[in-house]
Amino acid sequence: MATPPYPLNCLKEEKHEDPTLKPRSSSASLFFPIEEGDTPHKELILSLPKETRWLPYVLRLYEGFWWWEGIIPGIIGIQQRFKARPNDILIISFPKSGTTWLKSLTFSIMNRHKYGFTNHPLLRLSPHDCVRFLELIYGQGEESYVESLTSPRLLCCHTPYSCLPDCITTSECRIVYVCRDPKDVLVSAWYMDKNYMPNVPLSFNQAFEVFCEGRSGAGPIWDHILQYWNESLRRPDKFLFLKYEEMMAEPHQNLRKLAEFIRCPFSEEEEKTGVIEQIIELCSFKNLKELDVNKKGEGFSNIENELFFRKGVVGDWKNNMSPEMAERLDEITREKLHGCGLTFSR
Ligand code: A3P
């Protein structure tokens, strides 16, 4: 583990173990086709339009977005049974946009008075065990976990704005959304799946086509981003819209913004004693990637934790697609986001 250049003892150590913080045993993958299983809402799901080109998954069009079949019961569960609390904090993203990083940062900010940096939960638990996905919780009938969390709760999902239940959209709870250049999202998603299922022959070119059509998991990415972008303009008190690229370029500024938004601003004393730097260091790609738990452990849906830490850079698309492909995807992005004020630099 890299050594932070700041004193590690400025925060109290947690004396008691938090029972809600423990590694999750792997459960059956929710990403695979549901035909074999006894899945809630199976009849409805099997009646939805189908996409099978992103091998080996079967995606279905649910309320305007393409989902892995097994994830849809979790989304319906959120829609039907989730009860928002006014001080909930929700991290929301399109998959592969920096969710793991944002989970780590937000968790560290919210809990900085509870844990010291030498015995921090992120040193022994995956960020996905510290902040769990609502779709998986509700898909596995574990909602009592959500109820058992003390407020303010920190939760996460990939659900698009238009699919969120009213209890979230109309409550006082706050939403932090992170987006990323779609080119890097595609590259990240393709490698994730390639490393998860090494024997599945999904070529990058094939993935590129499906992604450009908006028919990859959770797609179309542009609609997902745009919905949250528009809401963040309309209700900046409720939505904080972050960009992966800006968080990389200006971590301090973004961390301050995030802390203020979730009502945990840094004090002058904390600024002086380097607490922001400690959190940035703790949650850095290099630090998290090298931890045993993230190198060896296995998390939800049998996904090895290390798959969430690949390169962690901006612009890896340059190593994976031709300039023509990049221009085509950029053109689609420009067209879809035209006039909304949101752009991705080239
Ligand atoms: P790459 O595949 O481009 O490396 P998500 O968490 O939404 O699944 O996104 C995963 C992407 O975020 C991966 O991108 C991963 O390497 C990157 N990532 C994970 N942890 C990170 C961190 N602490 N800092 C920066 N990027 C991180």
Side-chain angles (χ1 to χ4, degrees), residues 11-277:
L11 299 179
K12 283 187 297 186
E13 290 292 325
E14 166 73 336
K15 294 202 177 56
H16 307 288
E17 286 288 309
D18 181 341
T20 61
L21 283 180
K22 53 184 179 197
R24 301 288 141 191
S25 51
S26 303
S27 43
S29 178
L30 294 176
F31 292 92
F32 291 115
I34 62 170
E35 280 184 35
E36 303 296 318
D38 183 18
T39 309
H41 312 288
K42 187 168 172 175
E43 210 174 306
L44 163 79
I45 296 168
L46 295 180
S47 73
L48 298 170
K50 182 172 167 183
E51 172 58 73
T52 55
R53 286 175 298 162
W54 193 293
L55 298 169
Y57 305 111
V58 176
L59 305 179
R60 298 278 179 174
L61 186 66
Y62 178 69
E63 298 191 355
F65 291 84
W66 292 93
W67 292 101
W68 301 268
E69 283 188 337
I71 295 294
I72 296 173
I75 299 175
I76 297 175
I78 298 172
Q79 293 177 323
Q80 294 182 343
R81 301 191 299 282
F82 180 72
K83 292 187 191 72
R85 296 181 195 161
N87 53 2
D88 282 342
I89 307 290
L90 278 169
I91 292 169
I92 307 188
S93 63
F94 190 86
K96 313 321 295 173
S97 299
T99 327
T100 314
W101 188 21
L102 185 58
K103 281 185 178 187
S104 314
L105 291 169
T106 316
F107 179 83
S108 304
I109 294 172
M110 280 177 76
N111 291 295
R112 67 185 186 272
H113 301 300
K114 199 170 172 191
Y115 305 115
F117 289 101
T118 46
N119 186 27
H120 197 278
L122 280 169
L123 299 175
R124 60 187 162 82
L125 292 172
S126 154
H128 298 292
D129 287 333
C130 294
V131 187
R132 295 179 61 195
F133 281 110
L134 285 174
E135 290 91 348
L136 302 179
I137 295 171
Y138 281 81
Q140 288 161 341
E142 293 178 357
E143 40 252 62
S144 59
Y145 164 82
V146 177
E147 297 300 324
S148 76
L149 293 175
T150 49
S151 291
R153 299 181 299 185
L154 177 59
L155 299 161
C156 180
C157 70
H158 289 313
T159 301
Y161 178 77
S162 55
C163 301
L164 292 178
D166 289 350
C167 74
I168 295 180
T169 57
T170 61
S171 89
E172 295 293 305
C173 71
R174 298 195 167 189
I175 293 177
V176 184
Y177 185 83
V178 62
C179 79
R180 190 181 189 189
D181 182 332
K183 303 194 292 304
D184 279 340
V185 169
L186 163 63
V187 168
S188 184
W190 182 70
Y191 275 109
M192 173 98 189
D193 289 359
K194 183 170 134 76
N195 293 329
Y196 183 42
M197 301 287 294
N199 300 325
V200 175
L202 174 69
S203 71
F204 185 75
N205 285 357
Q206 187 178 356
F208 180 86
E209 289 304 326
V210 180
F211 189 87
C212 284
E213 289 174 35
R215 296 169 73 121
S216 64
I221 185 171
W222 308 280
D223 299 14
H224 202 289
I225 295 175
L226 201 50
Q227 287 186 355
Y228 284 102
W229 170 253
N230 286 335
E231 286 308 310
S232 75
L233 296 181
R234 207 165 66 83
R235 289 189 289 167
D237 52 318
K238 185 176 173 70
F239 293 85
L240 176 65
F241 191 93
L242 298 173
K243 274 177 158 179
Y244 181 92
E245 294 77 11
E246 289 176 359
M247 288 165 65
M248 286 294 236
E250 293 178 330
H252 290 75
Q253 202 176 310
N254 279 279
L255 221 63
R256 275 189 202 102
K257 208 163 39 167
L258 174 57
E260 273 164 32
F261 181 76
I262 61 173
R263 298 175 253 215
C264 306
F266 295 109
S267 66
E268 265 181 43
E269 181 63 17
E270 286 179 309
E271 291 263 357
K272 269 194 228 141
T273 52
V275 172
I276 300 183
E277 286 78 4

Side-chain angles (χ1 to χ4, degrees), residues 181-184 208 212 222 317 321-337 344-346:
D181 182 332
K183 303 194 292 304
D184 279 340
F208 180 86
C212 284
W222 308 280
W317 59 265
M321 63 179 86
S322 66
E324 292 74 28
M325 289 166 102
E327 179 48 35
R328 190 175 142 207
L329 189 40
D330 276 343
E331 181 55 32
I332 298 173
T333 301
R334 277 195 296 272
E335 200 179 287
K336 300 272 188 190
L337 302 185
F344 293 96
S345 52
R346 303 226 199 149

